Amino acid sequence: MRKVTLEQVNECLERLGVGSETGVLVHSAIQFLGRPDSGPGVYFQALQQALDLPRPERPAGRGTLAVPAFNFAFARGEPYDPQTTPAAGMGVFSEFVRQLPAALRTAHPMQSLAAVGLHANDLVGRDTPSAFDPGSAFERLLELDFGLLLLGADIQAVSVVHYSEQRAGVPYRYWKDFSGQVKRPDGTWQTCTYRMFVRDLEIDPHLDLRPIQTALNTRGLWRTLPLNYGRISFCRLTDFVSAADQLLADDPWALISNRQEAQERYRQKNGT
């Protein structure tokens, strides 16, 4: 298997223009890029330099790195401890960042972010019932004009699409509350209720985010480069959300690949 070196990642980030923004939200599937020269830390080192993340020799760094640290065990009745509950299904890089000594994590027990850098405290202080509510950490990423970086992952991995789906009130999702034990910053456990705009399994919609990528490509807002077996891609987070918002405003089923079947099941369920 080909190696991924720090020099390669540095070159990709520079060519993609990563570094001029306040920070980046990273979705990753680094197994598709090759074998990192010194583990997932290669990507963190490159981002540390590109974003000017705080580090011992430069504690006044100006950048912020955020990764999804989702874990849905809370929905199955398991307690959530932001310090110890692992990210699940988010890739080894997300879990690597979550475990960094300087990393902080948002409170949402199912759709959390782990963050390192200047705005980490701001993000972690935002505790909303839904991870994509007004005032949430995800909305703050948009306000801060974060970039969206995909390390080996394709556009299907981008979780901020749920922000657009929630705002559009798409018909193939519905609100569901989940209650359970959450460990608070003072070390105490508290029974808390959070919510998600969950996919309706009776309708069985298949989410396809490629129309968003097509829209971004058409506008010249999607940048991508090959790296060994995969690709590294980049855009502004606000551009991604704007494209998703427009598609869903024009057609609330625009991101569903099996739309005819899903719409028929929706009509049968709702008697329309």
Side-chain angles (χ1 to χ4, degrees), residues 159-173 197 206-209 211-212 215 219 240-257 259:
S159 54
V160 78
V161 69
H162 304 316
Y163 178 80
S164 294
E165 289 180 311
Q166 179 174 318
R167 292 206 297 175
V170 293
Y172 51 85
R173 292 186 180 274
F197 199 36
H206 300 171
L207 197 62
D208 181 2
L209 305 190
I212 300 174
R219 300 170 195 171
F240 179 97
V241 168
S242 293
D245 283 350
Q246 186 59 62
L247 285 164
L248 293 174
D250 293 342
D251 176 5
W253 298 89
L255 302 180
I256 301 303
S257 61
R259 57 182 298 153

Side-chain angles (χ1 to χ4, degrees), residues 16 80 88 139 141 143 150 154 163 174 182 185 215-216 261 271:
L16 290 171
Y80 172 66
E139 185 170 81
L141 298 181
E143 293 170 350
L150 304 183
D154 65 22
Y163 178 80
Y174 66 95
V182 175
L216 291 169
E261 297 92 337

Side-chain angles (χ1 to χ4, degrees), residues 4-249:
V4 178
T5 67
L6 179 60
E7 291 72 26
Q8 285 178 303
V9 183
N10 281 338
E11 181 183 0
C12 283
L13 296 183
E14 183 177 356
R15 289 176 60 191
L16 290 171
V18 178
S20 60
E21 56 289 315
T22 305
V24 294
L25 172 65
V26 177
H27 286 272
S28 59
I30 60 175
Q31 69 272 21
F32 295 122
L33 299 176
R35 180 166 58 85
D37 211 7
S38 55
V42 162
Y43 298 99
F44 181 72
Q45 283 181 268
L47 286 164
Q48 194 173 46
Q49 295 172 25
L51 298 173
D52 188 22
L53 296 178
R55 48 194 184 275
E57 68 275 17
R58 187 179 169 79
R62 62 177 179 80
T64 306
L65 167 65
V67 297
F70 294 6
N71 187 315
F72 296 101
F74 184 82
R76 301 189 297 271
E78 296 184 23
Y80 172 66
D81 181 349
Q83 297 299 315
T84 61
T85 298
M90 297 292 106
V92 296
F93 182 69
S94 284
E95 182 63 0
F96 173 87
V97 173
R98 185 196 71 80
Q99 294 185 71
L100 289 171
L104 301 175
R105 193 177 189 182
T106 59
H108 199 280
M110 293 166 288
Q111 294 173 311
S112 64
L113 292 171
V116 177
L118 181 63
H119 295 287
N121 276 303
D122 180 1
L123 296 172
V124 169
R126 295 168 180 272
D127 186 5
T128 51
S130 162
F132 303 97
D133 278 344
S136 65
F138 274 97
E139 185 170 81
R140 184 59 174 153
L141 298 181
L142 293 164
E143 293 170 350
L144 292 169
D145 199 22
F146 266 48
L148 171 65
L149 180 67
L150 304 183
L151 297 175
D154 65 22
I155 200 163
Q156 286 293 114
V158 181
S159 54
V160 78
V161 69
H162 304 316
Y163 178 80
S164 294
E165 289 180 311
Q166 179 174 318
R167 292 206 297 175
V170 293
Y172 51 85
R173 292 186 180 274
Y174 66 95
W175 285 110
K176 187 171 182 178
D177 290 344
F178 300 88
S179 297
Q181 290 290 295
V182 175
K183 195 171 187 179
R184 290 309 192 182
D186 63 3
T188 61
W189 288 91
Q190 183 178 346
T191 300
C192 300
T193 299
Y194 288 86
R195 64 178 187 164
M196 287 196 303
F197 199 36
V198 299
R199 188 168 62 96
D200 191 330
L201 297 180
E202 293 183 45
I203 296 172
D204 189 31
H206 300 171
L207 197 62
D208 181 2
L209 305 190
R210 287 174 296 178
I212 300 174
Q213 185 172 337
T214 298
L216 291 169
N217 269 321
T218 300
R219 300 170 195 171
L221 300 174
W222 183 261
R223 288 168 261 170
T224 185
L225 288 171
L227 177 57
N228 290 340
Y229 312 101
R231 306 191 72 83
I232 295 181
S233 303
F234 181 70
C235 70
R236 292 174 65 235
L237 199 60
T238 53
D239 289 333
F240 179 97
V241 168
S242 293
D245 283 350
Q246 186 59 62
L247 285 164
L248 293 174

